[in-house]
Structures are given as C-alpha cells and as structure tokens.
Amino acid sequence: MTTAEQDPRLTEALAAIAAAGDADALEAQRIAALGKQGWVSAALKTLGGMSPEERQEQGPRIQATRAAISEAIEARKAALESAALEARLAAEVIDLTLPAPVSPKGSVHPVSQVMNELAEIFADMGFAVATGPEIEDDWHNFTALNMPESHPARAMHDTFYFPQQVDAQEVQPGSGQRRMLLRTHTSPVQIRSMVEHGAPLRIIAPGRVYRSDSDATHTPMFHQVEGLVIDRGIHLGHLKWTLETFLKAFFERDDIVLRLRPSYFPFTEPSVEVDVGWQDVGGRRVLGGDGDAPGHGWMELLGSGMVNRRVLEFAGLDPDQWQGFAFGVGVDRLAMLKYGMDDLRAFFDGDGRWLAHYGFSAFDQPTLSGGVGARQ
Ligand code: DAH
C-alpha cells in the first residue's frame, strides 16, 4: 500500500495517535479504531458480504490498516512511558552528599547480659539453667521451702496474691488449697527442679520475682538467680568454693575475698550470709581485697546455706542420702556493681537513652575464653 492509496481515515488516525498526550487519550484512539464499534472493526465485518474477488483485494488492505494502527498505538505507548520515566528521573534528584538516616539499633539490656554471663560461668561448673513459673502457688513459694502458713517469714516477703476464688469462697488458711501468687523469689525453682529431676542436681535459675516494694533500690519486679547443688557428701566447703569461683569469674578479679556470716533462712540449715570485701577507688566502691584492711569494707551480697532436711523431704528426696547447698542473689544488684549503674529504677523505665548508654551489643556474647566481661 502506498501513501497515495492510504485511506484518509488511517492517515487521520495515525496523526491522532501520534498526538495523544497521555494513556487515556491513546486508549480513546484505540477504541475509536479497533474497539467493537470502531471503524476498522466495522470494515472487517463488511468482508463477509463481499464476493471472493473483492474480499481478496480488500482483506489484506483492511488487515494492514489494523496492523498499522496497532503498531502505532504500541509505539506511542512506549514513547509516553519513557517520557514519564524521564520526567520522574529529572524531578527526583537524590543528593548523595546528605548524611544517611541513622537506623535505630537495639541493644541487650544489662540484666539479660548479666544472666548470659551467669549461665556461661555456671555452665563451666556443670550447672544447667532451670526455669519456673512467675505465677506460682504458695506451696512451692513458701510451704515446701519450710515456711508453713503461720511462718513470720511469709509476712516479710510483701507478696502479691491473686484474689483466688475456689467454689465461690476465698481459699481458707489450713484448707490445703493452694493460693496463687507472683513468686517472691527464685527459690521455688529449687523445689520444682528436685521434684522433676531428683538427685544429683546442679542448677541455676535466673528470673523475674515480685514484691510489693518500691524506692531507689527496690522495684516491685526485680531479678534473682538461684543456685542449687544436690549430691552425696556435699558440705559448706563446696558452697564456699563455688561462690568464690563464680564471683572471681563474674567480677574478673582474683582478689575477691568472701566472708561467711551465720544467718537464718527457713530453707537452709545452717544459713550463711555472704559478704564481699570492697575498697574505695576514686570515691567508688570497687569489689576486691580484704574488707578488714584500712579503707576497705564488707558488702552483703547474697544469702545461702546447706539445704534444710525438711526441704529435701518436701521435694521427695531422702535427706540421709542427699545433701546440698543453695544460694540466691539479686541479678540487678550484680549488674549495678559490675557495670557501675546506681539507680535500679532506670533499669525498668524503658528509656532508650539509658539503654543506648548501658546496653550491650548483640555480638558481645560472654564466653569464658573471650571474657565474661563485656567489651566497653
Ligand atoms: N530466697 C531468698 C530471698 O529471696 C534468697 C536466698 C537465701 C536463696 C538463701 C537461697 C538461700 O537459695 O539458700 O531472700
């Protein structure tokens, strides 16, 4: 087909397609020519009524018109798209000299870091990590730890009790029913571990505990770690060595000196309070050294003792065969002493600035070979 023979409608359509300014205008052109009611479609329909000779002549002509229009539409579409892209690229200027936005980076809370350090240190001495529920019953939290219902030590714990209803009645003292509470210490994990695994046993149990108490050094929720060893022939010497080894590794000092003072806990007999010697370094109390030396002192750090025979019996162990020692210490306290933080409340405020300052990198995994102290 030469230009001279070209259908004037085709010439007009091609011009309109070439002039279409956007996708909608182009689509209108497509519908006008190739749509169901379009003039090319109408021309195609006329082929049916033609004689074979006429059809042979007109057929290719109409098909060629259709192809020319389709091609023109495709070409215009591509041109419009690339023009739009050019325009966007020209408008969206990226200034590579601007500083990149800082993406917030999380950090490991000092309490979690210290718990990981404890797990690492005690794993090396053959201790497994045990856990127990924070919503505990009074049998595990008190009774089985040799604190019967009337025991005064129960009152000292400022316990959060649940308003438990049994058969529409309050649980009555002496009824044998268990009252639910938020555990006041990690010691109930001693009972749960002995009941579940029997003896021998070596566990630490870090976790959250709760007491109705609040000031600069007390928060209603805080953290403890419990330690328990049950075996044959266990005595106070094992307890002292274990605590000494633990504290030297934790504080990364060989000059940690312990002082064991007689004390009282219902679940240990005898019970000892463990003090650690400290010295004044530039106005700060730093652990280490003999607390009796001039300028030095003793700081009470943890409670411990030999597991009371009655506790072993409550947990189903024969106290004539098995002995053990236990200890309990505040994890928050350990973190404060090691990393020099002085307000316990800041631990649980959730202030991102505090965490950014005192938090640890997730890559700072405590290991005995690499050091349980964090890189600072
Ligand atoms: N459970 C005690 C408390 O919260 C701490 C404690 C003392 C734990 C002596 C022990 C222990 O295992 O032997 O005050």
Side-chain angles (χ1 to χ4, degrees):
M1 184 167 40
T2 64
T3 323
E5 291 172 328
Q6 191 170 290
D7 185 332
R9 284 181 302 181
L10 175 56
T11 314
E12 199 181 302
L14 291 178
I17 289 167
D22 58 28
D24 287 345
L26 191 60
E27 177 65 2
Q29 290 303 319
R30 189 191 64 78
I31 292 168
L34 308 179
K36 267 194 189 148
Q37 317 287 330
W39 62 269
V40 179
S41 308
L44 277 168
K45 275 181 213 149
T46 62
L47 287 175
M50 291 178 188
S51 65
E53 297 75 33
E54 218 182 343
R55 194 181 303 137
Q56 211 165 29
E57 197 213 315
Q58 292 296 325
R61 201 183 141 88
I62 298 172
Q63 294 293 2
T65 300
R66 187 166 76 158
I69 289 181
S70 294
E71 260 171 46
I73 288 175
E74 283 310 309
R76 183 63 190 150
K77 200 171 153 200
L80 284 173
E81 280 169 2
S82 73
L85 183 62
E86 292 295 330
R88 246 186 78 194
L89 288 176
E92 287 177 10
V93 176
I94 298 172
D95 184 350
L96 294 175
T97 64
L98 286 176
V102 183
S103 49
K105 208 164 29 145
S107 61
V108 177
H109 195 283
V111 170
S112 304
Q113 182 76 14
V114 165
M115 283 183 177
N116 290 338
E117 292 176 10
L118 295 170
E120 176 68 14
I121 293 169
F122 279 101
D124 196 51
M125 292 191 268
F127 287 65
V129 173
T131 56
E134 289 168 33
I135 297 175
E136 197 36 293
D137 60 61
D138 66 349
W139 189 82
H140 287 91
N141 196 80
F142 292 127
T143 313
L145 288 161
N146 195 30
M147 283 184 267
E149 263 153 32
S150 55
H151 202 285
R154 282 200 182 200
M156 283 161 47
H157 274 210
D158 297 316
T159 311
F160 287 113
Y161 282 98
F162 285 89
Q164 198 181 1
Q165 305 272 310
V166 176
D167 293 337
Q169 282 189 337
E170 274 281 313
V171 176
Q172 293 301 315
S175 64
Q177 287 159 338
R178 294 181 182 182
R179 274 191 84 173
M180 300 309 285
L181 47 83
L182 289 176
R183 69 178 181 189
T184 57
H185 50 177
T186 43
S187 302
V189 186
Q190 288 189 29
I191 306 297
R192 290 184 176 275
S193 299
M194 285 188 277
V195 168
E196 190 176 340
H197 301 294
L201 195 66
R202 259 185 252 183
I203 54 129
I204 58 163
R208 278 189 278 266
V209 300
Y210 302 83
R211 289 186 205 179
S212 170
D213 211 350
S214 190
D215 60 39
T217 52
H218 297 89
T219 47
M221 186 282 304
F222 57 106
H223 300 82
Q224 288 187 336
V225 61
E226 195 78 13
L228 175 70
V229 169
I230 303 287
D231 214 323
R232 295 178 203 275
I234 295 293
H235 54 72
L236 264 181
H238 295 118
L239 168 63
K240 188 171 186 226
W241 180 87
T242 305
L243 291 177
E244 230 169 58
T245 305
F246 148 51
L247 292 170
K248 282 179 179 172
F250 181 75
F251 289 108
E252 297 185 290
R253 295 182 70 112
D254 284 334
D255 63 346
I256 296 287
V257 181
L258 302 188
R259 185 175 74 174
L260 272 54
R261 270 183 302 113
S263 181
Y264 170 76
F265 299 102
F267 32 91
T268 45
E269 180 58 36
S271 302
V272 288
E273 200 90 55
V274 177
D275 299 339
V276 186
W278 56 266
Q279 47 199 292
D280 195 309
V281 179
R284 233 186 98 195
R285 286 184 181 189
V286 173
L287 294 194
D290 179 356
D292 286 330
H296 292 215
W298 295 103
M299 164 183 321
E300 189 181 310
L301 190 63
L302 55 87
S304 63
M306 301 304 296
V307 178
N308 192 307
R309 290 175 62 92
R310 303 199 54 183
V311 172
L312 293 171
E313 281 166 3
F314 271 117
L317 297 179
D318 176 357
D320 290 327
Q321 281 196 50
W322 302 103
Q323 298 75 43
F325 67 78
F327 59 88
V329 51
V331 174
D332 316 294
R333 180 95 194 290
L334 288 175
M336 289 167 91
L337 284 170
K338 182 164 175 177
Y339 294 113
M341 299 166 285
D342 49 19
D343 189 350
L344 178 65
R345 288 169 298 195
F347 274 53
F348 312 122
D349 278 351
D351 185 333
R353 292 166 303 179
W354 187 88
L355 278 170
H357 184 77
Y358 286 110
F360 295 88
S361 158
F363 297 112
D364 209 348
Q365 291 288 331
T367 60
L368 283 179
S369 53
V372 287
R375 289 182 286 276
Q376 286 190 319

